[in-house]
Amino acid sequence: MSPLERSIEIRLRRTLKRRGFKLRKSSRKDPLALDYGHYWIEKPDGEIVAGGENGFTLEEAAAWVDNMGN
């Protein structure tokens, strides 16, 4: 993960925490897995709010968070 990607991930985690959500990253270690490196947005109780079955890429998650206020 590049420093830019890491900073985006940190920004997303902080923004979501302020809004009562959390960012969860796939724990898959196999790069061929469908959800490898993908993210989900969850409520604190673990209910998935966005990301669907295979999750978002980091860019898709950032776009979803940026559009939350609209």
Side-chain angles (χ1 to χ4, degrees):
M1 177 179 285
S2 74
L4 177 60
E5 291 172 329
R6 183 68 183 140
S7 67
I8 292 170
E9 183 178 324
I10 290 169
R11 178 183 65 86
L12 291 178
R13 287 185 191 282
R14 288 180 180 160
T15 301
L16 287 168
K17 185 176 180 181
R18 283 192 306 268
R19 295 179 182 181
F21 297 99
K22 62 182 181 176
L23 184 69
R24 180 172 60 94
K25 185 176 181 180
S26 172
S27 61
R28 298 276 184 153
K29 303 299 181 206
D30 179 8
L32 299 177
L34 290 176
D35 62 352
Y36 174 77
H38 285 208
Y39 297 84
W40 290 266
I41 297 168
E42 300 180 334
K43 291 182 179 179
D45 64 1
E47 179 185 348
I48 295 175
V49 175
E53 188 175 321
N54 293 324
F56 286 142
T57 63
L58 186 60
E59 294 80 16
E60 291 169 338
W64 190 90
V65 170
D66 291 343
N67 290 322
M68 276 179 79
N70 298 337

